[in-house]
Amino acid sequence: MNLLLCSLFREKKRRRVVELTEKMVVDGGSGRTCEWDGRWNHIKKFLERSGPFTHPDFEPSTESLQFMLETCKILVIGAGGLGCELLKDLALSGFRNIHVVDMDTIDVSNLNRQFLFRPTDVGRPKANVAADFVNNRIPGCYIILEFIYPSFIHLEFHIIVCGLDSIVARRWMNGMLLSLLVFEDGVLDPSSIIPLIDGGTEGFKGNARVILPGMTACIDCTLELYPPQINFPMCTIASMPRLPEHCIEYVRMLLWPKETPFGDGVVLDGDDPEHIQWVYQRSLERAADFNITGVTYRLTQGVVKRIIPAVASTNAVIAGKSAYIPLNNYMVFNDVDGLYTYTFEAERKENCSACSQVPLDLHFSPSSKLQEMLDHLTESASLQMKSPALTATVEGKNKTLYLQSVASIEQRTRPNLSKTLKELGLSDGQELAVADATTPQTMLFRLCFTS
């Protein structure tokens, strides 16, 4: 009886597939299927009728769906755990012209949650595989690969959606969109705004936010909200380890460069099984010396690669966040103990180094050394720069105070780090230009001498 019921179910399903296929319209014989009756009924319920939760300015119409299907161009940055969910949701919601960028390749550890990939895809670029999968699965959708250039962002995209795991990349994109804003007599031109929708997850926690560059709080306005990089004190690692992570960090930071197990100059590769196995075995030995348990191969790789735990369900929740009323403008989600979600409005910071349009004050004594200023730029919670390059106009000439990224210039400007600001010819009210990997823009600061 069960076999008969299964057979009837399969036959009914087969007939339904045939019926839907026959209703599909083939465009010009190209083989690309377009529409069939009722395909977008679920989307029309949101776009073509009003309701108690709709925005007061919302006007139901058929034009919104046509805009999504025919005109709207979306850039998705990141095709990992969150990116796969975003691409799926956007494609099934009627967005057809989607561009995706991701410089990473597929790893075996990605397969448990990044459902657009298969074991045969390991080693291939994530963006390529994700685009091919969605294009083949969803009729009419056309996802293409892109590289990020300022001009093409300005001309092409209506919305940019980020599913990144890097704060630096977020800040760079934030700075890029801010650089495209147009001001007329000090007034922002709304047509130059490209909305940025950003999401992030860490284990069972996540957040989603909407940014209107130049109008609402940008990434740098709320930089303090991002969790700091976890670092262990060197004295603990070397002398008093208490956690399995301490043992792994000891091997990574101290034993690897000392013993050079794979030859001089060979950098520890978190994706090389032989490297991870060596670190794992040595970490086990150190853990045994201090009666510490919990060192595993997986934990070893996680510590070496700084892997953030990922949960598929959290990615799905954050990617699928939607509401009739626009998100204003920051939503947090937590289901570690029960379910908790909260929405609040992140406010613009008046002296934000990225979007305030005014130089940020730096308060230092004339006797302070340039190294102290450099440390402030990298360690400040509101700046968090990576390798800032400082220039200033001294006696009418542009002077590079310090530049780390070019070896020859770094060597030439290194002595400046031990000089005082007064010795470098800087004065009170002096403007400093700072370039950094966290933004495509050059940021302006004003030096304010303290007594």
Side-chain angles (χ1 to χ4, degrees):
M1 180 62 70
N2 289 336
L3 291 175
L4 178 59
L5 290 175
C6 290
S7 299
L8 291 174
F9 176 81
R10 284 196 296 269
E11 177 61 20
K12 183 178 180 180
K13 184 177 181 180
R14 186 190 66 80
R15 290 179 180 177
R16 179 58 178 161
V17 171
V18 172
E19 291 173 0
L20 291 175
T21 304
E22 291 174 349
K23 290 181 180 180
M24 293 180 183
V25 180
V26 179
D27 183 13
S30 64
R32 290 195 64 202
T33 54
C34 295
E35 305 296 345
W36 58 88
D37 293 341
R39 179 177 183 184
W40 303 114
N41 284 348
H42 61 298
I43 300 297
K44 292 179 180 179
K45 292 178 182 178
F46 291 90
L47 302 177
E48 296 182 6
R49 65 182 187 182
S50 187
F53 300 106
T54 56
H55 191 275
D57 298 331
F58 175 71
E59 296 181 1
S61 69
T62 59
E63 296 178 358
S64 297
L65 179 59
Q66 293 306 309
F67 173 75
M68 290 167 56
L69 294 174
E70 301 172 4
T71 307
C72 187
K73 296 180 181 180
I74 296 181
L75 173 63
V76 176
I77 306 177
L82 189 55
C84 284
E85 293 282 356
L86 289 168
L87 291 171
K88 177 260 294 180
D89 290 348
L90 290 169
L92 291 175
S93 298
F95 294 97
R96 288 176 160 173
N97 197 338
I98 304 171
H99 299 232
V100 61
V101 58
D102 193 306
M103 309 308 293
D104 201 5
T105 57
I106 300 168
D107 186 73
V108 174
S109 62
N110 302 147
L111 301 180
N112 69 323
R113 64 194 180 280
Q114 298 176 22
F115 55 89
L116 299 183
F117 311 140
R118 299 294 181 266
T120 53
D121 298 323
V122 172
R124 296 182 60 196
K126 288 184 177 180
N128 299 55
V129 177
D132 290 343
F133 187 100
V134 177
N135 289 339
N136 293 331
R137 187 68 174 267
I138 302 179
C141 186
Y142 184 51
I143 297 181
I144 60 177
L145 310 177
E146 286 291 358
F147 293 95
I148 301 176
Y149 296 105
S151 58
F152 113 94
I153 289 179
H154 178 68
L155 295 175
E156 294 287 335
F157 297 107
H158 297 92
I159 302 173
I160 294 179
V161 186
C162 287
L164 295 164
D165 59 2
S166 166
I167 297 177
V168 174
R170 282 188 176 93
R171 296 179 67 186
W172 191 91
M173 179 52 60
N174 177 71
M176 180 63 69
L177 296 182
L178 290 171
S179 71
L180 298 176
L181 297 178
V182 176
F183 292 86
E184 297 180 0
D185 297 326
V187 179
L188 176 62
D189 180 2
S191 64
S192 65
I193 297 175
I194 302 178
L196 173 65
I197 302 175
D198 178 61
T201 64
E202 181 175 342
F204 291 98
K205 302 175 184 179
N207 69 82
R209 65 186 302 182
V210 175
I211 296 173
L212 301 177
M215 294 181 62
T216 64
C218 74
I219 295 290
D220 283 47
C221 285
T222 57
L223 200 57
E224 296 94 336
L225 294 179
Y226 291 99
Q229 178 72 49
I230 297 177
N231 293 304
F232 301 108
M234 181 60 69
C235 58
T236 300
I237 295 173
S239 305
M240 298 177 293
R242 299 183 301 275
L243 302 173
E245 290 86 351
H246 293 163
C247 302
I248 299 169
E249 282 287 270
Y250 175 83
V251 177
R252 182 184 75 86
M253 298 179 63
L254 301 176
L255 288 191
W256 180 275
K258 179 181 179 181
E259 300 186 7
T260 59
F262 293 87
D264 292 337
V266 177
V267 179
L268 176 57
D269 184 355
D271 293 314
D272 190 323
E274 293 185 359
H275 289 194
I276 298 299
Q277 184 65 30
W278 187 88
V279 176
Y280 169 55
Q281 292 297 335
R282 299 308 301 270
S283 301
L284 278 177
E285 296 171 6
R286 182 162 179 80
D289 292 339
F290 289 88
N291 297 317
I292 297 174
T293 60
V295 175
T296 65
Y297 183 91
R298 184 173 182 178
L299 178 64
T300 302
Q301 188 173 42
V303 172
V304 171
K305 296 180 65 176
R306 292 291 194 266
I307 293 176
I308 298 174
V311 177
S313 59
T314 308
N315 290 332
V317 169
I318 297 302
K321 176 72 176 87
S322 63
Y324 281 104
I325 298 178
L327 178 63
N328 187 27
N329 52 29
Y330 202 112
M331 186 276 293
V332 294
F333 171 81
N334 188 334
D335 63 344
V336 175
D337 298 310
L339 180 63
Y340 173 81
T341 182
Y342 177 70
T343 302
F344 66 94
E345 181 179 1
E347 298 182 357
R348 291 187 67 183
K349 185 185 291 186
E350 293 183 359
N351 62 343
C352 174
S353 60
C355 71
S356 65
Q357 300 293 312
V358 295
L360 185 65
D361 289 344
L362 290 176
H363 297 275
F364 286 95
S365 166
S367 60
S368 298
K369 296 182 179 180
L370 185 63
Q371 180 67 61
E372 297 177 47
M373 182 182 293
L374 197 71
D375 293 339
H376 173 75
L377 295 175
T378 56
E379 296 174 4
S380 169
S382 61
L383 296 173
Q384 298 185 37
M385 297 185 181
K386 297 301 178 183
S387 54
L390 293 82
T391 59
T393 300
V394 180
E395 298 179 353
K397 296 181 180 180
N398 190 46
K399 180 179 181 180
T400 299
L401 302 177
Y402 183 70
L403 180 72
Q404 183 177 345
S405 57
V406 181
S408 59
I409 301 179
E410 194 282 332
Q411 186 176 8
R412 179 169 56 85
T413 58
R414 191 185 307 164
N416 290 341
L417 295 176
S418 58
K419 295 181 180 179
T420 66
L421 303 182
K422 185 177 181 179
E423 290 173 341
L424 291 171
L426 302 181
S427 58
D428 187 39
Q430 176 94 50
E431 278 201 353
L432 302 175
V434 181
D436 190 63
T438 56
T439 175
Q441 302 184 89
T442 298
M443 291 174 284
L444 293 180
F445 293 84
R446 182 172 54 243
L447 181 60
C448 300
F449 279 159
T450 58
S451 56

